[in-house]
Amino acid sequence: QVQLVESGGGLVQAGGSLRLSCAASGRTFSRYAMGWFRQAPGKEREFVSAISRSGVNYADSVKGRFTISRDNAKNTVYLQMNSLKPEDTAVYYCAAKGSLFGSVYTHGEYDYWGQGTQVTVSS
């Protein structure tokens, strides 16, 4: 069982930055691929970024602006978000994927989810 707790969300002006953190419980954190997803009101949950043994992945909409990283010693995954835009406004969720199979882009492939943190970007 893995418990995930996100933090770092908030209100920021367009062009600003935020860093999200996701702290995980458990001793097997390093075995999991970790992903960030987001969901805006009235929209589907969408992939943002993932980090795994295979490397890192980004949605086209955030490539070049967001950076994912992890510190296995601290059981934490981060999402550094720069040059934020109003369309980045959403609840951001981190998730853990245990299987080596399946796509990191698909939210149904993840086993554990955090409660989400709100990111609001004003224009």
Side-chain angles (χ1 to χ4, degrees), residues 4-7 36-37 91-94 113-119:
L4 304 172
V5 179
E6 301 98 334
S7 61
W36 287 96
F37 289 76
V91 177
Y92 283 70
Y93 299 89
C94 77
W113 290 84
Q115 81 289 349
T117 186
Q118 177 70 48
V119 171

Side-chain angles (χ1 to χ4, degrees), residues 11-15 85-87 89 120-123:
L11 173 64
V12 64
Q13 287 189 329
K85 304 176 181 180
E87 51 263 44
T89 295
T120 303
V121 184
S122 63
S123 57

Side-chain angles (χ1 to χ4, degrees), residues 22-104:
C22 174
S25 64
R27 295 178 293 177
T28 59
F29 174 75
S30 62
R31 298 181 185 178
Y32 288 86
M34 298 299 296
W36 287 96
F37 289 76
R38 65 187 182 187
Q39 188 165 19
K43 294 191 176 182
E44 301 266 328
R45 188 168 298 191
E46 65 173 2
F47 172 81
V48 175
S49 182
I51 185 166
S52 66
R53 296 179 183 183
S54 302
V56 298
N57 306 86
Y58 297 98
D60 287 344
S61 60
V62 308
K63 207 170 289 185
R65 300 187 297 122
F66 290 11
T67 303
I68 192 170
S69 61
R70 67 191 298 165
D71 185 337
N72 289 335
K74 295 182 178 180
N75 279 14
T76 302
V77 62
Y78 304 97
L79 185 68
Q80 178 66 44
M81 306 186 296
N82 298 329
S83 302
L84 282 161
K85 304 176 181 180
E87 51 263 44
D88 294 318
T89 295
V91 177
Y92 283 70
Y93 299 89
C94 77
K97 177 178 175 298
S99 174
L100 295 177
F101 303 100
S103 172
V104 295

